[in-house]
Amino acid sequence: MPVDTDAYYDGDDLVPVPKKRKFANSKIVLGFGILLLAFTGLTFAANLSFNSGRVEFGQGIYQIKSCDQWVGITLVPSQAKYSGLSRVLNVKISGLDALRCRGSNFKVQLYPSGASPAAMKIYTDASGDVDRVLLSISSDNTKTRANAVSFIDGYGQLVPTTTLSDGSGYADDDYQFLTYAPGNGVYTVAFYLPLATMNTVNSLTVQSASQ
C-alpha cells in the first residue's frame, strides 16, 4: 500500500538564519547551525536554515529523538548547466544508524525564503514533480545497514535496496537512486532529473515518524 506522505507527518515552522553570517569552518556550522524542534509522540522534526550562497557547504545536523542520534544533512550541487545555475543533485545523510532507527521514516523538504513558503520541487519522477525525499528504515531485524534503508517514490511506493557484493547498498527507479557506502556509512539520494535551484534554497526541514 502506498505511504500517505501528507497525513503521515506533522509540520513545523521555518526558523531563518541571518543571511550575512559567514561560517568559517565546520565547527562553527555545528556550533551555530543546530536548530532543533521536538514534537510530542513519535514524530520529530528539525529545521536547518542556510546562509545564502553557501548551501553547498552542507550546513547542519539534527537530532532524531525517536532513536537518540544526530544525523548530518548535506546538499550537493550539480554542474551549473541550468541556465548557468546549479541544482540540488543529491542529498547526503551521515551518522544515520539504521539498526538503531528501525521502523522509522524520514522526510526531507527544501524551502525558499519568504513568508510561509511552499516546499520546493526537488526532482521529477513518473508521478510528476516531487517536493520531498522520503526514506524508509525497515523494521526487519535481518537487514543490515546496507539494505535497511530504502526510498519511497512520488507515488508513495517503496523502492527496496539491494546489498551488493562489496557491502554497499543500492536502489534505483530511474528517477532517484540511493546508495550506502560502508566505508563512511553515508547514505546518498541522487536525482536523475533535479529541480531545486541551489541558490534559492533557504531552509531544510527534516521530519521523522514511526511506521
Side-chain angles (χ1 to χ4, degrees):
M1 174 179 284
V3 174
D4 186 346
T5 59
D6 291 326
Y8 194 65
Y9 295 90
D10 291 331
D12 58 340
D13 296 329
L14 299 177
V15 182
V17 169
K19 296 286 187 179
K20 293 183 180 180
R21 180 174 294 276
K22 298 295 183 181
F23 297 121
N25 55 48
S26 60
K27 290 183 180 178
I28 296 177
V29 171
L30 297 181
F32 181 84
I34 301 172
L35 299 175
L36 301 175
L37 184 61
F39 283 83
T40 58
L42 295 177
T43 300
F44 302 94
N47 291 315
L48 308 176
S49 293
F50 299 133
N51 180 42
S52 181
R54 295 294 297 276
V55 175
E56 67 274 17
F57 189 71
Q59 268 81 10
I61 62 175
Y62 73 94
Q63 187 179 26
I64 307 171
K65 293 205 171 183
S66 57
C67 51
D68 192 25
Q69 65 173 270
W70 297 88
V71 178
I73 301 290
T74 302
L75 303 183
V76 179
S78 69
Q79 295 181 346
K81 63 180 183 179
Y82 301 95
S83 301
L85 299 175
S86 298
R87 293 182 178 179
V88 178
L89 184 63
N90 62 59
V91 177
K92 292 183 178 290
I93 301 174
S94 58
L96 173 60
D97 186 345
L99 304 187
R100 290 179 60 184
C101 288
R102 294 185 190 278
S104 295
N105 285 358
F106 298 90
K107 182 168 68 172
V108 177
Q109 291 185 294
L110 309 178
Y111 291 86
S113 60
S116 302
M120 298 173 65
K121 305 298 184 182
I122 299 176
Y123 66 94
T124 296
D125 71 5
S127 71
D129 296 344
V130 184
D131 67 357
R132 84 310 187 259
V133 176
L134 185 54
L135 300 182
S136 179
I137 304 176
S138 175
S139 59
D140 185 349
N141 290 330
T142 66
K143 290 186 179 293
T144 66
R145 290 180 175 85
N147 65 354
V149 180
S150 300
F151 68 83
I152 295 172
D153 67 14
Y155 286 114
Q157 298 289 348
L158 183 72
V159 179
T161 298
T162 300
T163 302
L164 304 180
S165 59
D166 62 357
S168 63
Y170 187 81
D172 191 346
D173 70 349
D174 295 330
Y175 298 101
Q176 295 181 89
F177 63 94
L178 167 68
T179 59
Y180 169 76
N184 58 13
V186 172
Y187 295 89
T188 302
V189 184
F191 316 112
Y192 288 100
L193 300 170
L195 295 176
T197 303
M198 286 290 292
N199 67 0
T200 61
V201 178
N202 182 67
S203 39
L204 177 145
T205 300
V206 181
Q207 299 172 308
S208 65
S210 296
Q211 295 168 359

